[in-house]
Amino acid sequence: TEFKVRECGRDEWNRFSRYHYLSGELLKSSRCYGLYNPKNEIIGFCAIIYFPHPKKNNIVKCHRIVILPDYQGVGLGSMFLCEIGSLYKRKKKDLYITTTLKNFATNLAKSKKFVCTRCNIVKLSNSCLATIAKKLRKVKTATLVYVGG
């Protein structure tokens, strides 16, 4: 079965926002991509943002990625992000993703196209986050970068 990746409009996010595990927000600076099934129906959405870094100017980050529930669990999210990683690699950009989803991070690492750069526990110590920090002391995250292959 052939799935296609191509740019899509921000308005497509409306179909996917309720399925994102963190929030339904989408940054205005996002460049949006859709994953389309053989019937040309959008079944996945990914938003990429430029990531400012003091030493490197070629970093982009996956801001949001969602696969519709009927299509989850068969590796389409990993395949989708690998395709987008390849697209940005050709543009001389490094694609990073930070996720709290253990299975997603594991599948990306198993693909050999992503390398884990950080897997740790982030402590919420910012005073602005004091109320959240009382309820949630630690958030487990993994950061991976697309290397191709």
Side-chain angles (χ1 to χ4, degrees), residues 40-109:
N40 204 32
E41 300 164 327
I42 188 168
I43 59 149
F45 181 92
C46 184
I48 304 295
I49 58 169
Y50 167 74
F51 186 75
H53 188 276
K55 295 181 181 175
K56 294 176 77 179
N57 66 355
N58 68 332
I59 296 176
V60 293
K61 275 195 101 163
C62 177
H63 167 55
R64 296 283 184 261
I65 185 165
V66 177
I67 301 295
L68 291 177
D70 288 350
Y71 294 88
Q72 291 177 5
V74 293
L76 290 175
S78 299
M79 183 273 299
F80 187 20
L81 202 56
C82 285
E83 288 293 321
I84 292 171
S86 175
L87 175 90
Y88 278 93
K89 190 57 105 181
R90 289 191 300 271
K91 295 178 179 184
K92 308 285 192 241
K93 304 285 184 193
D94 292 332
L95 173 67
Y96 284 79
I97 182 169
T98 299
T99 183
T100 61
L101 301 175
K102 183 179 174 184
N103 290 344
F104 188 47
T106 301
N107 287 339
L108 289 173

Side-chain angles (χ1 to χ4, degrees), residues 2-10 12 15-16 31-48 79-81 83-84 87-88 90-91:
E2 185 90 13
F3 291 88
K4 304 256 192 238
V5 174
R6 65 176 183 262
E7 279 195 60
C8 67
R10 294 177 47 82
E12 296 288 0
R15 286 187 65 191
F16 295 89
R31 179 164 236 153
C32 304
Y33 297 88
L35 177 65
Y36 295 83
N37 68 14
K39 295 178 183 176
N40 204 32
E41 300 164 327
I42 188 168
I43 59 149
F45 181 92
C46 184
I48 304 295
M79 183 273 299
F80 187 20
L81 202 56
E83 288 293 321
I84 292 171
L87 175 90
Y88 278 93
R90 289 191 300 271
K91 295 178 179 184

